[in-house]
Amino acid sequence: MSNPISHAFKKAKSENRPALLTYTVAGDSTKKQSLEILKSISKKVDILEIGVPHNTPVADGSQIQTSSYRAIKNGVKINDIFKIVKDFKKFDKNKPVILMGYYNMIFQYGENEFLRKCKISGVNGLIVVDLPWPENKKFASKCKNRSIFFIQLLSPTTTKNRLKKIIKDSHEMIYFISMLSTTGGKLKVSSKEILSNYDKIKKVNSKKNVVIGFGITEKTIKSLKKADGLVVGSAICREITNSIKKRQNPVTNVYNVVNRLKKKIK
């Protein structure tokens, strides 16, 4: 399966560093500014994760909820998100884009039509938080047939037996949730413990690219740099919120945060 996500990991490994993944909410704080942020950080980021704003998020902490609220308040719909992705791909067609959201939006849209729009707009991967394995096997297969990665989630409480089965069925990228919590602005467990769980996953299949997310900040990212990839979301959403409060430009400030993150994992 040829997918830009695979190329992004290969490039990062050739530079002896983890891939940097950022998470921003589509349409935050406006559709135009959301696109500008993606463009501004594109050169510093290996993979862009774009959140679909949802009014009842089960995995998102307060910072991402605030971003989602702004986007929803501005009237962002799923077709607007596809347009943001499509417009971004006109700017940087090779940069991998992952959409993260919830299954009801896919169900309401229709699985096949949703995937058709993903393909047209340039989406390379999907994280569907509330569609766990094995219930996601049929949909994941549909994704694979369209060369779109369906990214399985693992957590610290995933049993050994279940972990092996999920990894066996997974595409090339796996998302390890660092702690038993929603997303947030800080780690609630030690980096040592997170990496211990990460190693257990890699021992099952070292060829899968495993990214760690939830709670990673500028202060902690360096301690986790042995991972294949690291996801930073809440810290970026918080920067957007702070920029708005201070009447500063979120595009510039988010770029500065991402630039500092990248320097810490080089």
Side-chain angles (χ1 to χ4, degrees):
M1 185 191 298
S2 176
N3 190 306
I5 294 173
S6 301
H7 298 307
F9 282 112
K10 286 178 184 173
K11 181 175 182 291
K13 284 175 181 173
S14 72
E15 297 173 0
N16 197 31
R17 62 173 177 81
L20 177 62
L21 293 83
T22 54
Y23 174 96
T24 53
V25 175
D28 182 31
S29 63
T30 65
K31 298 170 196 172
K32 182 181 176 183
Q33 197 168 71
S34 176
L35 177 60
E36 288 175 352
I37 288 173
L38 295 175
K39 288 180 177 178
S40 76
I41 63 178
S42 178
K43 285 187 178 178
K44 299 293 178 184
V45 174
D46 296 291
I47 300 171
L48 291 162
E49 191 182 325
I50 302 174
V52 178
H54 196 277
N55 60 4
T56 52
V58 296
D60 301 334
S62 60
Q63 300 297 341
I64 294 177
Q65 285 184 32
T66 301
S67 281
S68 295
Y69 175 75
R70 278 193 296 264
I72 292 170
K73 193 178 177 183
N74 286 331
V76 171
K77 308 292 185 188
I78 188 66
N79 284 334
D80 298 317
I81 297 167
F82 284 131
K83 186 174 186 310
I84 289 170
V85 175
K86 193 172 184 179
D87 288 345
F88 170 76
K89 287 286 187 162
K90 290 176 185 174
F91 173 79
D92 188 350
K93 66 178 181 181
N94 295 319
K95 186 65 62 179
V97 170
I98 294 171
L99 281 190
M100 176 179 172
Y102 297 86
Y103 183 68
N104 63 347
M105 67 175 180
I106 299 171
F107 180 77
Q108 288 179 344
Y109 210 91
E111 288 186 355
N112 293 334
E113 179 62 9
F114 183 84
L115 290 174
R116 189 182 74 83
K117 293 297 287 284
C118 283
K119 198 67 184 172
I120 290 172
S121 59
V123 173
N124 306 110
L126 290 173
I127 298 174
V128 187
V129 179
D130 56 351
L131 189 61
W133 184 90
E135 282 76 16
N136 61 37
K137 289 175 73 171
K138 185 179 175 184
F139 184 66
S141 179
K142 286 186 178 182
C143 292
K144 190 171 186 178
N145 290 338
R146 292 163 175 80
S147 298
I148 296 171
F149 283 175
F150 183 90
I151 296 152
Q152 300 284 357
L153 301 172
L154 297 173
S155 80
T157 54
T158 304
T159 63
K160 191 174 181 179
N161 186 44
R162 180 177 169 84
L163 184 135
K164 286 181 178 176
K165 290 178 179 177
I166 293 175
I167 293 173
K168 182 175 180 290
D169 281 348
S170 70
H171 299 169
E172 288 183 33
M173 175 180 161
I174 296 169
Y175 192 120
F176 174 58
I177 299 168
S178 67
M179 56 190 180
L180 299 179
S181 172
T182 57
T183 61
K186 64 178 181 179
L187 291 176
K188 296 177 182 176
V189 294
S190 69
S191 297
K192 185 179 178 182
E193 183 177 339
I194 293 169
L195 290 175
S196 174
N197 287 323
Y198 168 85
D199 287 340
K200 291 175 185 174
I201 298 168
K202 293 295 288 186
K203 281 181 181 175
V204 175
N205 189 333
S206 62
K207 293 181 179 178
K208 304 283 184 178
N209 289 302
V210 181
V211 304
I212 301 174
F214 283 41
I216 299 174
T217 65
E218 288 185 52
K219 289 183 179 178
T220 55
I221 192 168
K222 191 174 181 179
S223 65
L224 298 166
K225 67 179 291 187
K226 72 172 277 189
D228 295 322
L230 297 167
V231 188
V232 181
S234 292
I236 293 173
C237 293
R238 183 176 59 231
E239 187 60 43
I240 295 173
T241 299
N242 290 341
S243 299
I244 293 170
K245 285 180 181 176
K246 296 175 183 175
R247 298 189 177 186
Q248 296 175 345
N249 186 351
V251 179
T252 303
N253 289 352
V254 167
Y255 171 83
N256 290 336
V257 169
V258 172
N259 190 34
R260 292 195 295 270
L261 288 166
K262 187 66 176 287
K263 286 180 178 176
K264 289 180 183 292
I265 58 171
K266 276 188 173 179

